Amino acid sequence: MVKKIGFIGLGIMGRPMALNLLKAGYELSVFDIHAEALEALRLQGAVVCGSPRELALRSEIIITILPDSPQVKEVALGNNGLLEGMSAGKLLIDMSTIDAATEMDIHQQFRAIGADSLDAPVSGGQIGAEQATLSIMVGGEESSFDLALPVFKALGKKISYMGKSGSGQITKSCSQIATALATQGIIEAFALAQTAGIDIAKVREALSGGFAESKVLMITGDKIIRKDFAPGFKLKLYSKDLRIAKKAAAERSLVLPGTALLSGEMDALVAAGKGELDFSALYDVMNDSKKD
Ligand code: NAD
């Protein structure tokens, strides 16, 4: 039974996930580039490490949840990185949302020394991370999935094995395409209501219970109505996820018109300095641009 877990990336998602692992009784080692993030975990009993290498040496399973492919690559394969502390039997679980090709590259390099890796991106947001109700989509060897299952169960509810390395990330892209386009649907519905002088909170209420009801309507819709644009899920991370989805589609000669449109919109917002806002801020930005 796995007891010692290393955790890297203690941000909006990682911090509550790491706390849930401590609650579940695992011995936790942690690393992050931000000292404040580490302190909160140290106070709860985690051991703070000086590098990913040191963390890998102390751990049986290592979890990363970092912003994007370059950070995962640096932590896994860079100087003083995980690979230098990995050995046969150790397992990396990358729960970040990144490019499937990067996951497959790391997978190959870890397997070459007898270690292993899984890509296991998540859906469910900050609330899902806090309440340990995340959906987890996993790619890699099935034997490693079986080994990691008790750890996944301490973090999430819906845990799906999707197939070979990279499949978890492709599945996450499917999730991001579906939720991004649903968000655009809510934004356009609210925009019409507002223009027609109808209270958008009443529209949300009227739509709930009908075919348009969804988590996006209930949760993102509520954030839009309350103008609560604190992240949540940062626009810059959503724009990154849609770029990843577009790349995965392009590599397979697949055209995704709705995804391409939204991806362009989000990239422009990030370029305009709105990347740190929650993605629900798309609504206000769209309405602002209408007034120009
Ligand atoms: P975040 O920016 O809040 O946290 C990222 C953490 O990684 C920070 O603590 C940062 O200091 C740390 N970090 C960055 N570079 C590092 C490095 N080189 N070494 C060590 N630590 C480093 O991001 P988040 O919202 O927690 O998202 C993390 C990942 O989870 C992203 O890939 C995101 O797309 C995905 N995700 C986020 C949500 C969400 O709702 N926030 C939902 C699902 C998936």
Side-chain angles (χ1 to χ4, degrees), residues 111-153:
R111 301 254 326 148
I113 59 154
D116 200 7
S117 74
L118 296 170
D119 47 298
V122 301
S123 175
Q126 188 178 5
I127 296 172
E130 286 166 0
Q131 298 178 349
T133 55
L134 292 167
S135 290
I136 308 175
M137 300 150 265
V138 189
E141 309 304 314
E142 199 161 4
S143 54
S144 290
F145 172 78
D146 293 339
L147 177 77
L149 197 53
V151 179
F152 289 141
K153 284 185 174 164

Side-chain angles (χ1 to χ4, degrees), residues 115-271:
D116 200 7
S117 74
L118 296 170
D119 47 298
V122 301
S123 175
Q126 188 178 5
I127 296 172
E130 286 166 0
Q131 298 178 349
T133 55
L134 292 167
S135 290
I136 308 175
M137 300 150 265
V138 189
E141 309 304 314
E142 199 161 4
S143 54
S144 290
F145 172 78
D146 293 339
L147 177 77
L149 197 53
V151 179
F152 289 141
K153 284 185 174 164
L155 299 171
K157 261 202 171 147
K158 177 97 187 166
I159 299 144
S160 308
Y161 177 67
M162 304 309 299
K164 65 180 190 216
S165 173
S167 313
Q169 293 296 350
I170 298 289
T171 309
K172 172 69 185 181
S173 280
C174 298
S175 171
Q176 293 309 76
I177 291 167
T179 48
L181 294 181
T183 303
Q184 182 70 6
I186 302 302
I187 286 173
E188 293 188 13
F190 282 7
L192 174 63
Q194 193 164 322
T195 314
I198 302 173
D199 181 356
I200 58 173
K202 278 178 126 178
V203 171
R204 173 175 169 274
E205 189 53 35
L207 265 52
S208 67
F211 213 60
E213 183 177 296
S214 66
K215 283 196 176 164
V216 176
L217 176 69
M218 300 321 286
I219 297 171
T220 314
D222 181 54
K223 275 177 88 73
I224 290 172
I225 289 162
R226 290 188 292 108
K227 291 185 177 288
D228 168 17
F229 301 138
F233 189 44
K234 294 173 192 164
L235 254 172
K236 69 175 184 189
L237 291 180
Y238 220 134
S239 80
K240 176 255 314 179
D241 288 2
L242 291 190
R243 255 181 285 126
I244 291 170
K246 268 195 313 186
K247 180 169 174 277
E251 284 165 0
R252 291 157 181 84
S253 307
L254 180 68
V255 180
L256 302 173
T259 304
L261 183 79
L262 258 177
S263 174
E265 246 177 47
M266 287 196 195
D267 285 352
L269 290 175
V270 173

Side-chain angles (χ1 to χ4, degrees), residues 15-155:
R15 180 189 153 127
M17 290 165 73
L19 287 172
N20 283 333
L21 291 173
L22 277 174
K23 263 189 234 153
Y26 289 103
E27 290 172 33
L28 208 65
S29 303
V30 291
F31 177 75
D32 194 288
I33 48 173
H34 281 123
E36 317 88 81
L38 290 166
E39 187 56 14
L41 267 294
R42 193 187 62 78
L43 290 173
Q44 298 296 320
V47 173
V48 172
C49 294
S51 70
R53 176 181 176 276
E54 184 193 333
L55 178 136
L57 287 169
R58 296 181 60 93
S59 313
E60 298 161 271
I61 285 184
I62 298 100
I63 295 177
T64 47
I65 182 150
L66 296 161
D68 199 355
S69 305
Q71 292 83 27
V72 175
K73 220 168 175 173
E74 182 196 327
V75 161
L77 307 175
N79 203 15
N80 257 325
L82 293 172
L83 188 62
E84 294 178 17
M86 295 299 278
S87 50
K90 295 197 182 204
L91 174 67
L92 165 66
I93 306 173
D94 179 36
M95 304 190 83
S96 327
T97 304
I98 67 163
D99 193 7
T102 303
E103 296 289 13
M104 290 188 272
D105 179 25
I106 292 170
H107 187 68
Q108 258 186 356
Q109 297 203 43
F110 277 40
R111 301 254 326 148
I113 59 154
D116 200 7
S117 74
L118 296 170
D119 47 298
V122 301
S123 175
Q126 188 178 5
I127 296 172
E130 286 166 0
Q131 298 178 349
T133 55
L134 292 167
S135 290
I136 308 175
M137 300 150 265
V138 189
E141 309 304 314
E142 199 161 4
S143 54
S144 290
F145 172 78
D146 293 339
L147 177 77
L149 197 53
V151 179
F152 289 141
K153 284 185 174 164
L155 299 171

